[in-house]
Amino acid sequence: MTNKLTIDSYVAAGLALLLSSATAYANISISNKPTQNMSCDTGVCTATAQKAVLNVSDLQTMLASGDVTVKTGSVAKDINIDKPLTWASTSRLTLNAQQSVVVKRAVRITGAGAVTVTINEGGGKRGEFAIVPRRGSVQFWDLSSSLIIDGNSYTLVGDIKTLAKDIKVNPRGFYALAKQYDASADGPYSDTPVKGSFNGIFEGLGNAITNLTFSLTGFYDVKAGLFHEVDSRGSIRDLALVRVNLNINTSDVSAGAVAELNEGLLLRVHTTGKITASGAAPEEGLFQLGGLVGANSGLISKSSTDMQIVIGFIYDGSVGGLAAFNEAFGQPGTIDQSYSDTRIVGADSSEVGGLLADNEGNVSNSYSTQQVRATRRNGKVGGLIGMHSSGSVSTSYSVGEVRAHKGAACGGLVGRSHGSVSQSYWDSDTSRCGGAGSALTDNEFKSHLPDGFDPKIWGSDPKINNGYPYLLANPPQ
């Protein structure tokens, strides 16, 4: 079957799935509440009202003895897994929803069981299979288990080397990370483990790859990331890279923790860790470095980085908390509902930004919170974007401290801007620079949503994100 999650179809979906418990749709909740408004007969449970509950213990009891299908039918819309679910039998759980299936807690298949997910059974408004970051996951303990999502059969993988081998054989395939994987035993990678252009789907299932380490040396054209390139038809979803460690001792490099280049879709992808780079570059060298990707000409949505990037002397370069460039090969990229909690220090680079070094695409509903400090005399340094070459920035903000050489172009939001900036803001109490966008005090940021911020997308709570606006569908850790 064809990949239904292309950029075009996802943008057309409106980027509108609300992952909070107070969903606007009627739904089936798999929870610890008593089963109600469900009709269960011979292993098939169907909603009989717009709001229905299937008790998780009842479901686990049924799965112990046979296959179970949960259906929204014609009255409910979504299926939400609101409490942890576990079974050890060989039974298959099938989830059929008119719109979406949302996993908000851990689902563990500890035996040789199977899962089938089918969305958009009712047509109409498009839904998706979504795993709430840092809370939900689907974990398979047997790699021979079956996973089918929207008619596509996924190959379960348990480690990076197997993933790389499988993709080398079939770069158009469907793959899923079976459960958490600790990459410490892999040792440091000297280049990208998953090589070539990937144009399938890699579904992380809310699982994390921890302790992924790179040690990059060489003089020319060094490229690094878990993936080399995500093709325009490819996507990586529901994945966390935790405690990534990139040690770079070269200045002709293009790197990001997840991919060197994204031309496809990164959805709910998150990274934490540290990047350290040093080395004098030749004049013809290229240095582009991002916490998520080196360059993006696709779509990055509902994703984030929580990194520390420390840069020594380099001849020239671009450093961004999420990505270096929001453009590749003349094609602009799109970033939506994403944020950087990445601190960048000591960057003697041409372009440095808390979210992006250089933007030639579209950025919306995104933000940066950490310090950006650069030392280059003629650099472009911004709390959100270093160089806004073209494209647009809308309903976004930066609140981190920005420090730059007095000869640099420095901005609280954007270092230098030639593109459109609308309804976007920087913190006049924390930034040492002004520039494009509108200034708000720290108190103004924390007292209410800025003008233009959609309350269906943004939230404000003194206990969340240090009181600054946060994304409802992509809340901070």
Side-chain angles (χ1 to χ4, degrees):
M1 296 185 67
T2 58
N3 181 347
K4 293 186 178 181
L5 293 172
T6 60
I7 294 174
D8 289 343
S9 66
Y10 189 74
V11 172
L15 303 168
L17 181 64
L18 181 62
L19 299 180
S20 67
S21 298
T23 176
Y25 308 141
N27 62 70
I28 297 173
S29 172
I30 298 175
S31 72
N32 56 7
K33 296 179 180 180
T35 296
Q36 60 179 345
N37 297 328
M38 296 290 298
S39 173
C40 294
D41 183 36
T42 61
V44 179
C45 294
T46 306
T48 58
Q50 287 188 344
K51 292 188 177 182
V53 176
L54 178 58
N55 179 267
V56 67
S57 295
D58 293 347
L59 176 56
Q60 288 175 161
T61 298
M62 288 186 283
L63 285 167
S65 58
D67 295 347
V68 179
T69 297
V70 180
K71 303 173 64 175
T72 58
S74 59
V75 290
K77 302 295 184 183
D78 301 339
I79 299 174
N80 294 335
I81 299 179
D82 293 318
K83 290 296 179 182
L85 170 65
T86 302
W87 72 98
S89 67
T90 60
S91 300
R92 179 180 293 274
L93 172 63
T94 298
L95 303 171
N96 289 347
Q98 280 204 71
Q99 290 185 6
S100 298
V101 173
V102 183
V103 180
K104 301 180 181 181
R105 291 292 185 266
V107 176
R108 295 185 178 92
I109 304 94
T110 59
V115 174
T116 294
V117 176
T118 304
I119 60 173
N120 301 315
E121 285 279 88
K125 186 175 181 179
R126 182 172 174 80
E128 64 170 325
F129 174 55
I131 299 179
V132 176
R134 295 173 288 274
R135 290 196 296 163
S137 64
V138 178
Q139 301 175 22
F140 290 89
W141 291 18
D142 188 331
L143 294 179
S144 66
S145 293
S146 168
L147 172 64
I148 300 172
I149 303 174
D150 233 12
N152 299 309
S153 182
Y154 282 69
T155 298
L156 295 175
V157 296
D159 58 73
I160 293 173
K161 292 181 180 179
T162 301
L163 175 66
K165 290 178 182 178
D166 288 347
I167 289 177
K168 183 178 181 180
V169 173
N170 180 17
R172 299 181 180 180
F174 298 85
Y175 305 95
L177 183 62
K179 57 181 179 179
Q180 317 287 351
Y181 175 67
D182 187 344
S184 297
D186 295 6
Y189 286 95
S190 59
D191 61 1
T192 301
V194 184
K195 296 177 172 60
S197 181
F198 176 60
N199 52 23
I201 293 179
F202 179 48
E203 172 59 75
L205 295 176
N207 297 311
I209 295 174
T210 60
N211 301 311
L212 176 61
T213 300
F214 293 87
S215 181
L216 307 177
T217 60
F219 200 63
Y220 287 105
D221 199 26
V222 177
K223 301 183 185 302
L226 176 61
F227 286 74
H228 171 218
E229 177 184 347
V230 181
D231 185 82
S232 60
R233 294 166 292 178
S235 66
I236 301 175
R237 304 163 44 95
D238 304 307
L239 176 69
L241 299 184
V242 178
R243 296 189 297 275
V244 175
N245 193 354
L246 272 77
N247 294 305
I248 302 170
N249 189 23
T250 176
S251 293
D252 189 3
V253 63
S254 178
V258 176
E260 185 266 327
L261 171 63
N262 174 54
E263 298 177 292
L265 170 64
L266 301 188
L267 175 62
R268 293 184 296 270
V269 178
H270 309 275
T271 63
T272 73
K274 185 175 182 179
I275 301 175
T276 305
S278 62
E283 291 190 16
E284 65 270 22
L286 171 68
F287 187 97
Q288 59 180 36
L289 182 63
L292 202 69
V293 298
N296 173 60
S297 61
L299 170 62
I300 298 175
S301 179
K302 300 174 185 173
S303 299
S304 72
T305 59
D306 181 1
M307 310 277 282
Q308 182 177 9
I309 301 178
V310 180
I311 309 296
F313 175 75
I314 55 174
Y315 179 84
D316 200 0
S318 301
V319 181
L322 198 77
F325 290 99
N326 196 29
E327 176 273 339
F329 307 114
Q331 296 297 317
T334 299
I335 294 174
D336 183 74
Q337 296 189 61
S338 297
Y339 70 88
S340 168
D341 196 24
T342 293
R343 183 170 178 254
I344 303 173
V345 296
D348 184 28
S349 304
S350 294
E351 300 159 338
V352 183
L355 190 80
L356 295 169
D358 188 301
N359 178 55
E360 298 185 26
N362 300 306
V363 178
S364 59
N365 299 312
S366 297
Y367 66 90
S368 175
T369 61
Q370 288 293 328
Q371 180 190 67
V372 178
R373 189 175 71 196
T375 59
R376 192 171 184 85
R377 183 185 298 273
N378 60 347
K380 292 90 175 174
V381 185
L384 191 77
I385 297 170
M387 179 67 185
H388 182 30
S389 301
S390 59
S392 66
V393 177
S394 61
T395 52
S396 298
Y397 75 86
S398 172
V399 294
E401 179 187 25
V402 182
R403 290 190 179 189
H405 191 283
K406 63 181 180 180
C410 179
L413 185 77
V414 176
R416 178 167 292 169
S417 180
H418 298 293
S420 168
V421 177
S422 62
Q423 296 179 314
S424 296
Y425 306 87
W426 53 275
D427 193 322
S428 59
D429 290 325
T430 60
S431 176
R432 294 172 178 260
C433 307
S438 300
L440 294 178
T441 65
D442 207 59
N443 183 63
E444 287 173 325
F445 266 111
K446 296 179 178 181
S447 61
H448 57 81
L449 289 178
D451 290 346
F453 278 38
D454 188 343
K456 294 180 181 179
I457 297 175
W458 293 94
S460 180
D461 188 315
K463 297 180 180 179
I464 300 176
N465 203 28
N466 294 317
Y468 296 112
Y470 69 95
L471 295 162
L472 296 174
N474 186 16
Q477 295 189 34

